[in-house]
Amino acid sequence: LKDNDGGSRGAFIVLEGLDRSGKTSQSSKLLSFLEGLGHPTELWRFPDRTTSIGQMISAYLSNQSQLDDHTIHLLYSANRWEKSSLMETQLKSGTTLVVDRYSYSGVAFSSAKGLDFEWCKKAAERGGYGGERYEKLEFQRKVAECYQALRDPSWKIIDGCQPMEEIQKQLQEIVLDHVSACKKGRPLSH
Ligand code: DGP
Ligand code: NA
Ligand code: NA
């Protein structure tokens, strides 16, 4: 993608991690932090349960419906696709997006369930545990292994076992760095 009219673009910040790793709290803190500094910012999350596809995912997660593993995988993917053009518009217009889960979850969670890792990567391209389906310790261990296998240089790893304030501080540092680089013209790439 090219930035419009040489204007600065927003940063695309994705928070990934196991269930209950604190992403959701940290994403809202990050939103307030960036807004406080005057950066136009929006908080998004996936799955986005507000769309009709998102509602199918939500029903599946709460065990109200049963779906074939490949089918649910593709619904998650479709749920990201249905928001992708709006996402691109926002980034190009200079809005920073803080996103609570994105396609790395798509690969990590589905391959942890036993779907073929390469199949998941292709299909997901671009595009105290509680009661939900995946929130079991053994399963989360597998997800962690799958995340390790996906890790690439764009990732910054933060140890979620640290005190909340420490996590927040590290996250802010990393994100500010990236937000400034985007303002200075770091290209937006797929
Ligand atoms: P959350 O709303 O962040 O708690 O996510 C709900 C659950 O769905 C969580 O266990 C992680 C899982 N999940 C998120 N995205 C995907 C995906 O693309 N594919 C699969 N299989 N699971 C996902
Ligand atoms: Na969850
Ligand atoms: Na979450």
Side-chain angles (χ1 to χ4, degrees):
L1 295 176
K2 287 213 182 76
D3 291 340
N4 280 339
D5 52 72
S8 61
R9 71 164 178 94
F12 182 55
I13 316 281
V14 176
L15 279 78
E16 287 281 5
L18 303 185
D19 288 313
R20 306 292 158 116
S21 58
K23 296 178 306 310
T24 304
S25 326
Q26 289 293 339
S27 338
S28 6
K29 287 176 195 294
L30 191 54
L31 171 72
S32 319
F33 172 72
L34 291 170
E35 283 181 334
L37 292 174
H39 297 291
T41 308
E42 286 180 9
L43 177 53
W44 289 31
R45 71 177 303 177
F46 289 100
D48 177 342
R49 304 187 192 210
T50 65
T51 70
S52 52
I53 292 171
Q55 283 161 23
M56 292 168 76
I57 296 171
S58 193
Y60 168 83
L61 282 170
S62 54
N63 287 303
Q64 289 166 306
S65 72
Q66 306 302 320
L67 289 170
D68 164 78
D69 284 350
H70 292 83
T71 307
I72 181 68
H73 179 90
L74 293 173
L75 285 179
Y76 277 110
S77 181
N79 186 232
R80 290 184 292 268
W81 271 105
E82 64 183 338
K83 306 299 292 252
S84 66
S85 61
L86 181 58
M87 184 174 267
E88 214 170 277
T89 309
Q90 297 299 70
L91 289 171
K92 283 179 172 171
S93 76
T95 302
T96 283
L97 302 182
V98 173
V99 187
D100 184 352
R101 294 194 182 285
Y102 199 54
S103 33
Y104 292 111
S105 283
V107 181
F109 280 80
S110 288
S111 58
K113 282 201 293 193
L115 297 197
D116 180 72
F117 185 75
E118 290 305 322
W119 186 89
C120 293
K121 263 169 70 175
K122 280 189 198 95
E125 232 150 51
R126 306 166 20 128
Y129 290 115
E132 282 206 328
R133 212 176 257 272
Y134 297 146
E135 299 188 344
K136 305 280 183 300
L137 189 57
E138 259 325 294
F139 182 74
Q140 297 291 321
R141 258 192 248 287
K142 283 189 194 139
V143 175
E145 282 168 23
C146 297
Y147 269 129
Q148 286 302 339
L150 279 169
R151 190 169 162 173
D152 73 41
S154 71
W155 291 35
K156 304 280 184 267
I157 314 293
I158 297 176
D159 177 0
C161 299
Q162 303 175 98
M164 206 163 177
E165 290 71 26
E166 186 57 33
I167 296 174
Q168 202 177 337
K169 206 179 95 206
Q170 290 177 15
L171 191 55
Q172 290 174 351
E173 245 167 62
I174 292 167
V175 166
L176 267 191
D177 233 38
H178 185 57
V179 168
S180 321
C182 292
K183 285 209 154 166
K184 288 184 195 129
R186 179 177 285 177
L188 190 55
S189 58
H190 281 302

Short mmCIF file of all heavy atoms in Angstrom, two decimals, residues 137-184:
data_model
loop_
_atom_site.label_atom_id
_atom_site.label_comp_id
_atom_site.label_asym_id
_atom_site.label_seq_id
_atom_site.Cartn_x
_atom_site.Cartn_y
_atom_site.Cartn_z
N LEU A 137 -6.24 -24.92 30.14
CA LEU A 137 -4.79 -24.79 30.28
C LEU A 137 -3.99 -25.56 29.23
O LEU A 137 -3.10 -25.02 28.59
CB LEU A 137 -4.39 -25.22 31.69
CG LEU A 137 -2.94 -24.94 32.07
CD1 LEU A 137 -2.62 -23.46 31.92
CD2 LEU A 137 -2.68 -25.40 33.49
N GLU A 138 -4.32 -26.83 29.04
CA GLU A 138 -3.58 -27.66 28.07
C GLU A 138 -3.64 -27.06 26.68
O GLU A 138 -2.67 -27.02 25.94
CB GLU A 138 -4.15 -29.09 28.04
CG GLU A 138 -3.34 -30.09 28.81
CD GLU A 138 -1.84 -29.84 28.76
OE1 GLU A 138 -1.26 -29.98 27.66
OE2 GLU A 138 -1.24 -29.51 29.80
N PHE A 139 -4.83 -26.61 26.34
CA PHE A 139 -5.02 -26.02 25.02
C PHE A 139 -4.20 -24.74 24.87
O PHE A 139 -3.57 -24.51 23.85
CB PHE A 139 -6.51 -25.76 24.77
CG PHE A 139 -6.77 -25.19 23.41
CD1 PHE A 139 -6.68 -26.00 22.29
CD2 PHE A 139 -7.05 -23.84 23.24
CE1 PHE A 139 -6.88 -25.49 21.03
CE2 PHE A 139 -7.25 -23.32 21.98
CZ PHE A 139 -7.17 -24.14 20.86
N GLN A 140 -4.18 -23.93 25.93
CA GLN A 140 -3.43 -22.67 25.87
C GLN A 140 -1.93 -22.95 25.69
O GLN A 140 -1.22 -22.19 25.05
CB GLN A 140 -3.67 -21.83 27.13
CG GLN A 140 -5.11 -21.39 27.32
CD GLN A 140 -5.57 -20.36 26.29
OE1 GLN A 140 -4.82 -19.47 25.91
NE2 GLN A 140 -6.81 -20.49 25.83
N ARG A 141 -1.45 -24.04 26.29
CA ARG A 141 -0.05 -24.44 26.10
C ARG A 141 0.24 -24.68 24.63
O ARG A 141 1.27 -24.26 24.11
CB ARG A 141 0.23 -25.74 26.86
CG ARG A 141 0.95 -25.53 28.16
CD ARG A 141 1.45 -26.87 28.68
NE ARG A 141 0.76 -27.27 29.89
CZ ARG A 141 0.97 -26.71 31.07
NH1 ARG A 141 1.83 -25.72 31.19
NH2 ARG A 141 0.31 -27.10 32.13
N LYS A 142 -0.67 -25.34 23.97
CA LYS A 142 -0.49 -25.61 22.53
C LYS A 142 -0.51 -24.30 21.75
O LYS A 142 0.25 -24.11 20.81
CB LYS A 142 -1.59 -26.54 22.01
CG LYS A 142 -1.35 -27.97 22.39
CD LYS A 142 -2.34 -28.89 21.66
CE LYS A 142 -2.32 -30.26 22.32
NZ LYS A 142 -3.67 -30.83 22.42
N VAL A 143 -1.43 -23.41 22.13
CA VAL A 143 -1.51 -22.11 21.44
C VAL A 143 -0.16 -21.40 21.59
O VAL A 143 0.36 -20.83 20.62
CB VAL A 143 -2.65 -21.23 22.01
CG1 VAL A 143 -2.64 -19.86 21.36
CG2 VAL A 143 -4.00 -21.90 21.80
N ALA A 144 0.42 -21.45 22.79
CA ALA A 144 1.70 -20.78 23.03
C ALA A 144 2.77 -21.34 22.09
O ALA A 144 3.56 -20.57 21.51
CB ALA A 144 2.13 -20.96 24.48
N GLU A 145 2.79 -22.65 21.91
CA GLU A 145 3.76 -23.25 20.99
C GLU A 145 3.53 -22.77 19.56
O GLU A 145 4.47 -22.49 18.83
CB GLU A 145 3.65 -24.78 21.01
CG GLU A 145 4.31 -25.41 22.21
CD GLU A 145 3.94 -26.88 22.36
OE1 GLU A 145 3.53 -27.53 21.36
OE2 GLU A 145 4.04 -27.38 23.50
N CYS A 146 2.27 -22.67 19.17
CA CYS A 146 1.97 -22.22 17.81
C CYS A 146 2.38 -20.76 17.62
O CYS A 146 2.89 -20.39 16.56
CB CYS A 146 0.50 -22.40 17.49
SG CYS A 146 -0.01 -24.12 17.54
N TYR A 147 2.15 -19.95 18.64
CA TYR A 147 2.61 -18.55 18.56
C TYR A 147 4.12 -18.51 18.36
O TYR A 147 4.63 -17.74 17.56
CB TYR A 147 2.26 -17.79 19.84
CG TYR A 147 0.92 -17.07 19.84
CD1 TYR A 147 0.02 -17.26 20.88
CD2 TYR A 147 0.58 -16.17 18.84
CE1 TYR A 147 -1.19 -16.58 20.92
CE2 TYR A 147 -0.64 -15.49 18.86
CZ TYR A 147 -1.52 -15.70 19.90
OH TYR A 147 -2.71 -15.02 19.93
N GLN A 148 4.85 -19.35 19.10
CA GLN A 148 6.32 -19.36 18.96
C GLN A 148 6.72 -19.66 17.53
O GLN A 148 7.66 -19.06 17.00
CB GLN A 148 6.95 -20.40 19.91
CG GLN A 148 6.97 -19.97 21.37
CD GLN A 148 7.72 -18.66 21.61
OE1 GLN A 148 8.55 -18.24 20.81
NE2 GLN A 148 7.40 -17.98 22.71
N ALA A 149 5.99 -20.59 16.91
CA ALA A 149 6.33 -20.98 15.53
C ALA A 149 6.01 -19.87 14.54
O ALA A 149 6.54 -19.85 13.43
CB ALA A 149 5.58 -22.26 15.17
N LEU A 150 5.15 -18.95 14.93
CA LEU A 150 4.73 -17.88 14.01
C LEU A 150 5.58 -16.63 14.13
O LEU A 150 5.57 -15.76 13.26
CB LEU A 150 3.30 -17.45 14.36
CG LEU A 150 2.17 -18.28 13.84
CD1 LEU A 150 0.87 -17.83 14.52
CD2 LEU A 150 2.05 -18.12 12.33
N ARG A 151 6.27 -16.55 15.24
CA ARG A 151 7.00 -15.34 15.62
C ARG A 151 7.86 -14.80 14.48
O ARG A 151 8.57 -15.55 13.83
CB ARG A 151 7.88 -15.71 16.81
CG ARG A 151 8.52 -14.58 17.49
CD ARG A 151 9.12 -15.08 18.78
NE ARG A 151 10.10 -14.13 19.27
CZ ARG A 151 10.70 -14.22 20.44
NH1 ARG A 151 10.44 -15.25 21.23
NH2 ARG A 151 11.56 -13.32 20.82
N ASP A 152 7.77 -13.51 14.20
CA ASP A 152 8.60 -12.89 13.17
C ASP A 152 9.17 -11.57 13.69
O ASP A 152 8.80 -11.13 14.78
CB ASP A 152 7.81 -12.74 11.86
CG ASP A 152 6.76 -11.65 11.91
OD1 ASP A 152 7.03 -10.56 12.47
OD2 ASP A 152 5.65 -11.87 11.39
N PRO A 153 10.08 -10.94 12.92
CA PRO A 153 10.78 -9.76 13.44
C PRO A 153 9.89 -8.55 13.74
O PRO A 153 10.32 -7.64 14.43
CB PRO A 153 11.77 -9.42 12.32
CG PRO A 153 11.92 -10.67 11.53
CD PRO A 153 10.62 -11.37 11.61
N SER A 154 8.66 -8.55 13.23
CA SER A 154 7.78 -7.41 13.54
C SER A 154 7.23 -7.53 14.97
O SER A 154 6.63 -6.58 15.47
CB SER A 154 6.63 -7.35 12.53
OG SER A 154 5.73 -8.41 12.75
N TRP A 155 7.43 -8.67 15.61
CA TRP A 155 6.88 -8.87 16.95
C TRP A 155 7.77 -8.26 18.01
O TRP A 155 8.99 -8.33 17.94
CB TRP A 155 6.76 -10.36 17.27
CG TRP A 155 5.74 -11.11 16.51
CD1 TRP A 155 5.37 -10.91 15.20
CD2 TRP A 155 4.99 -12.23 16.97
NE1 TRP A 155 4.43 -11.84 14.85
CE2 TRP A 155 4.18 -12.65 15.90
CE3 TRP A 155 4.93 -12.91 18.18
CZ2 TRP A 155 3.31 -13.73 16.02
CZ3 TRP A 155 4.06 -13.99 18.29
CH2 TRP A 155 3.25 -14.39 17.22
N LYS A 156 7.13 -7.68 19.01
CA LYS A 156 7.83 -7.30 20.23
C LYS A 156 7.18 -8.10 21.35
O LYS A 156 5.96 -8.04 21.50
CB LYS A 156 7.67 -5.80 20.51
CG LYS A 156 8.11 -4.91 19.36
CD LYS A 156 9.63 -4.73 19.34
CE LYS A 156 10.08 -3.78 18.25
NZ LYS A 156 10.44 -4.48 17.00
N ILE A 157 7.98 -8.83 22.09
CA ILE A 157 7.42 -9.71 23.11
C ILE A 157 7.45 -9.01 24.47
O ILE A 157 8.47 -8.47 24.88
CB ILE A 157 8.25 -11.01 23.23
CG1 ILE A 157 8.55 -11.62 21.86
CG2 ILE A 157 7.55 -12.01 24.16
CD1 ILE A 157 7.37 -12.14 21.11
N ILE A 158 6.32 -9.01 25.14
CA ILE A 158 6.25 -8.45 26.49
C ILE A 158 5.83 -9.57 27.45
O ILE A 158 4.86 -10.29 27.18
CB ILE A 158 5.25 -7.28 26.57
CG1 ILE A 158 5.74 -6.14 25.66
CG2 ILE A 158 5.09 -6.79 28.01
CD1 ILE A 158 4.79 -4.97 25.60
N ASP A 159 6.56 -9.71 28.53
CA ASP A 159 6.27 -10.75 29.52
C ASP A 159 5.04 -10.36 30.34
O ASP A 159 5.09 -9.44 31.15
CB ASP A 159 7.50 -10.93 30.42
CG ASP A 159 7.25 -11.96 31.52
OD1 ASP A 159 6.14 -12.51 31.58
OD2 ASP A 159 8.18 -12.19 32.31
N GLY A 160 3.94 -11.05 30.10
CA GLY A 160 2.67 -10.72 30.73
C GLY A 160 2.61 -11.07 32.22
O GLY A 160 1.60 -10.81 32.87
N CYS A 161 3.67 -11.69 32.75
CA CYS A 161 3.69 -12.00 34.18
C CYS A 161 4.21 -10.84 35.01
O CYS A 161 4.17 -10.89 36.24
CB CYS A 161 4.54 -13.23 34.46
SG CYS A 161 3.93 -14.70 33.64
N GLN A 162 4.71 -9.81 34.36
CA GLN A 162 5.22 -8.65 35.11
C GLN A 162 4.05 -7.86 35.69
O GLN A 162 2.91 -8.02 35.26
CB GLN A 162 6.00 -7.74 34.16
CG GLN A 162 7.16 -8.42 33.46
CD GLN A 162 7.80 -7.49 32.48
OE1 GLN A 162 8.81 -6.87 32.76
NE2 GLN A 162 7.20 -7.37 31.30
N PRO A 163 4.35 -6.97 36.65
CA PRO A 163 3.28 -6.12 37.16
C PRO A 163 2.64 -5.31 36.02
O PRO A 163 3.32 -4.95 35.07
CB PRO A 163 4.01 -5.18 38.13
CG PRO A 163 5.30 -5.84 38.45
CD PRO A 163 5.65 -6.72 37.29
N MET A 164 1.36 -5.07 36.17
CA MET A 164 0.59 -4.40 35.14
C MET A 164 1.20 -3.08 34.68
O MET A 164 1.23 -2.77 33.50
CB MET A 164 -0.80 -4.14 35.69
CG MET A 164 -1.86 -4.02 34.67
SD MET A 164 -3.43 -4.23 35.55
CE MET A 164 -4.57 -3.99 34.23
N GLU A 165 1.72 -2.31 35.66
CA GLU A 165 2.28 -0.99 35.33
C GLU A 165 3.53 -1.14 34.47
O GLU A 165 3.80 -0.32 33.60
CB GLU A 165 2.64 -0.19 36.59
CG GLU A 165 1.45 0.29 37.40
CD GLU A 165 0.73 -0.85 38.11
OE1 GLU A 165 1.40 -1.88 38.39
OE2 GLU A 165 -0.48 -0.74 38.35
N GLU A 166 4.30 -2.19 34.77
CA GLU A 166 5.52 -2.45 34.01
C GLU A 166 5.18 -2.82 32.56
O GLU A 166 5.79 -2.34 31.61
CB GLU A 166 6.31 -3.57 34.70
CG GLU A 166 7.67 -3.85 34.11
CD GLU A 166 8.58 -2.63 34.07
OE1 GLU A 166 8.49 -1.76 34.98
OE2 GLU A 166 9.35 -2.53 33.10
N ILE A 167 4.19 -3.68 32.41
CA ILE A 167 3.74 -4.08 31.07
C ILE A 167 3.30 -2.85 30.28
O ILE A 167 3.68 -2.65 29.13
CB ILE A 167 2.56 -5.08 31.17
CG1 ILE A 167 3.03 -6.36 31.87
CG2 ILE A 167 1.96 -5.37 29.81
CD1 ILE A 167 1.91 -7.35 32.14
N GLN A 168 2.52 -2.02 30.97
CA GLN A 168 2.00 -0.81 30.36
C GLN A 168 3.15 0.08 29.87
O GLN A 168 3.12 0.60 28.76
CB GLN A 168 1.18 -0.07 31.42
CG GLN A 168 0.17 0.89 30.91
CD GLN A 168 -0.61 1.48 32.09
OE1 GLN A 168 -0.67 0.87 33.16
NE2 GLN A 168 -1.17 2.64 31.90
N LYS A 169 4.16 0.23 30.71
CA LYS A 169 5.29 1.09 30.39
C LYS A 169 6.04 0.57 29.16
O LYS A 169 6.35 1.32 28.24
CB LYS A 169 6.24 1.16 31.60
CG LYS A 169 7.07 2.43 31.66
CD LYS A 169 7.97 2.46 32.91
CE LYS A 169 9.36 1.96 32.55
NZ LYS A 169 10.08 1.39 33.71
N GLN A 170 6.29 -0.73 29.15
CA GLN A 170 7.02 -1.31 28.01
C GLN A 170 6.22 -1.19 26.73
O GLN A 170 6.75 -0.88 25.66
CB GLN A 170 7.34 -2.79 28.29
CG GLN A 170 8.38 -2.96 29.38
CD GLN A 170 8.65 -4.42 29.71
OE1 GLN A 170 8.27 -5.32 28.97
NE2 GLN A 170 9.29 -4.65 30.83
N LEU A 171 4.93 -1.43 26.85
CA LEU A 171 4.05 -1.34 25.69
C LEU A 171 4.05 0.08 25.13
O LEU A 171 4.15 0.30 23.92
CB LEU A 171 2.65 -1.77 26.12
CG LEU A 171 1.60 -2.02 25.05
CD1 LEU A 171 2.09 -3.03 24.04
CD2 LEU A 171 0.32 -2.53 25.70
N GLN A 172 3.98 1.07 26.03
CA GLN A 172 3.95 2.46 25.59
C GLN A 172 5.22 2.83 24.84
O GLN A 172 5.18 3.50 23.82
CB GLN A 172 3.78 3.38 26.80
CG GLN A 172 2.38 3.30 27.41
CD GLN A 172 2.24 4.11 28.69
OE1 GLN A 172 3.22 4.61 29.23
NE2 GLN A 172 1.02 4.21 29.18
N GLU A 173 6.36 2.36 25.36
CA GLU A 173 7.63 2.67 24.72
C GLU A 173 7.68 2.12 23.30
O GLU A 173 8.01 2.83 22.35
CB GLU A 173 8.77 2.04 25.52
CG GLU A 173 9.72 3.04 26.15
CD GLU A 173 10.61 2.36 27.18
OE1 GLU A 173 11.38 1.47 26.77
OE2 GLU A 173 10.50 2.71 28.37
N ILE A 174 7.34 0.86 23.18
CA ILE A 174 7.38 0.18 21.88
C ILE A 174 6.44 0.87 20.89
O ILE A 174 6.78 1.15 19.75
CB ILE A 174 6.96 -1.30 22.04
CG1 ILE A 174 8.02 -2.05 22.84
CG2 ILE A 174 6.73 -1.95 20.69
CD1 ILE A 174 7.57 -3.42 23.32
N VAL A 175 5.24 1.17 21.38
CA VAL A 175 4.22 1.72 20.49
C VAL A 175 4.56 3.14 20.06
O VAL A 175 4.41 3.49 18.89
CB VAL A 175 2.84 1.62 21.17
CG1 VAL A 175 1.81 2.48 20.46
CG2 VAL A 175 2.38 0.17 21.19
N LEU A 176 5.07 3.95 20.99
CA LEU A 176 5.41 5.33 20.64
C LEU A 176 6.47 5.36 19.55
O LEU A 176 6.40 6.17 18.61
CB LEU A 176 5.95 6.08 21.85
CG LEU A 176 4.93 6.87 22.64
CD1 LEU A 176 5.63 7.78 23.64
CD2 LEU A 176 4.02 7.68 21.71
N ASP A 177 7.43 4.47 19.68
CA ASP A 177 8.48 4.32 18.69
C ASP A 177 7.89 4.09 17.30
O ASP A 177 8.27 4.73 16.32
CB ASP A 177 9.26 3.05 19.05
CG ASP A 177 10.73 3.33 19.16
OD1 ASP A 177 11.07 4.42 19.67
OD2 ASP A 177 11.50 2.44 18.74
N HIS A 178 6.96 3.15 17.26
CA HIS A 178 6.37 2.76 15.99
C HIS A 178 5.45 3.86 15.44
O HIS A 178 5.45 4.14 14.25
CB HIS A 178 5.61 1.45 16.16
CG HIS A 178 5.07 0.90 14.88
ND1 HIS A 178 5.87 0.62 13.80
CD2 HIS A 178 3.81 0.60 14.49
CE1 HIS A 178 5.12 0.17 12.80
NE2 HIS A 178 3.87 0.15 13.20
N VAL A 179 4.69 4.48 16.33
CA VAL A 179 3.79 5.56 15.90
C VAL A 179 4.60 6.69 15.26
O VAL A 179 4.23 7.22 14.21
CB VAL A 179 2.93 6.08 17.08
CG1 VAL A 179 2.21 7.36 16.74
CG2 VAL A 179 1.92 5.03 17.51
N SER A 180 5.75 7.02 15.87
CA SER A 180 6.58 8.09 15.29
C SER A 180 7.14 7.67 13.95
O SER A 180 7.16 8.47 13.01
CB SER A 180 7.78 8.42 16.19
OG SER A 180 7.40 8.39 17.52
N ALA A 181 7.59 6.42 13.84
CA ALA A 181 8.14 5.94 12.57
C ALA A 181 7.08 6.01 11.48
O ALA A 181 7.37 6.36 10.33
CB ALA A 181 8.66 4.52 12.72
N CYS A 182 5.84 5.70 11.82
CA CYS A 182 4.77 5.76 10.83
C CYS A 182 4.51 7.20 10.41
O CYS A 182 4.26 7.49 9.24
CB CYS A 182 3.49 5.16 11.40
SG CYS A 182 3.62 3.40 11.66
N LYS A 183 4.58 8.11 11.38
CA LYS A 183 4.36 9.53 11.05
C LYS A 183 5.43 10.01 10.10
O LYS A 183 5.20 10.86 9.26
CB LYS A 183 4.38 10.37 12.33
CG LYS A 183 3.12 10.21 13.13
CD LYS A 183 2.80 11.46 13.93
CE LYS A 183 1.30 11.51 14.18
NZ LYS A 183 0.92 12.47 15.20
N LYS A 184 6.65 9.47 10.29
CA LYS A 184 7.76 9.89 9.43
C LYS A 184 7.75 9.17 8.11
O LYS A 184 8.66 9.36 7.30
CB LYS A 184 9.10 9.68 10.15
CG LYS A 184 9.33 10.65 11.28
CD LYS A 184 10.71 10.45 11.90
CE LYS A 184 10.82 11.15 13.24
NZ LYS A 184 11.32 10.21 14.29
#
